[in-house]
Structure formats: C-alpha cells, structure tokens
Amino acid sequence: MREARNGLRPVTAISYQKELKGYFHCFSQEGSLEEGIGTYATIELEDGSVHQVDAFQMKFDDVEEG
C-alpha cells in the first residue's frame, strides 16, 4: 500500500499498455451527447508530469485489499 503525498492519493493507471504510478488530482468529463461522454482522471506522475487517463483504467493504491 502506497502513502499519500501532499494530500494526493496514490494511483496506478494504464495508458497505451504502459503502467503509470502517480497521484490523483481530479476526475473530469469530456465529449458531447452526439459522440459520447467519457470520464477521465488527471494524475501527476512521480516525475512531476501530468497525464489524463480513462477513469476505468486507474486504481487507487491506498486501499487495503481484503
């Protein structure tokens, strides 16, 4: 289990078949009623870069599995 950093929850996400480890900032939605609306997560990687990933491709790492 990973610890929070600066109040941000740790996450692992998959983007283009690559595993990303970082910290969750927020959820957002994009799209239109005609083409569909997607839900995304904004995460900050450990190197400080920011990425937007599909929300269903993200897992919070501060939750104990049980």
Side-chain angles (χ1 to χ4, degrees):
M1 189 166 81
R2 291 173 51 218
E3 296 294 321
R5 183 181 80 179
N6 297 325
L8 302 174
R9 294 180 72 184
V11 296
T12 300
I14 303 296
S15 180
Y16 300 104
Q17 292 82 38
K18 184 177 177 183
E19 183 178 86
L20 305 173
K21 291 199 175 279
Y23 298 90
F24 174 75
H25 278 262
C26 66
F27 287 115
S28 61
Q29 293 181 331
E30 290 184 8
S32 67
L33 293 176
E34 294 82 22
E35 296 180 18
I37 298 173
T39 302
Y40 301 94
T42 301
I43 63 172
E44 176 186 351
L45 301 187
E46 293 176 345
D47 67 2
S49 63
V50 176
H51 293 263
Q52 186 175 6
V53 298
D54 288 315
F56 67 88
Q57 295 286 357
M58 184 196 79
K59 177 183 176 290
F60 288 103
D61 294 337
D62 60 354
V63 179
E64 290 186 28
E65 294 186 30

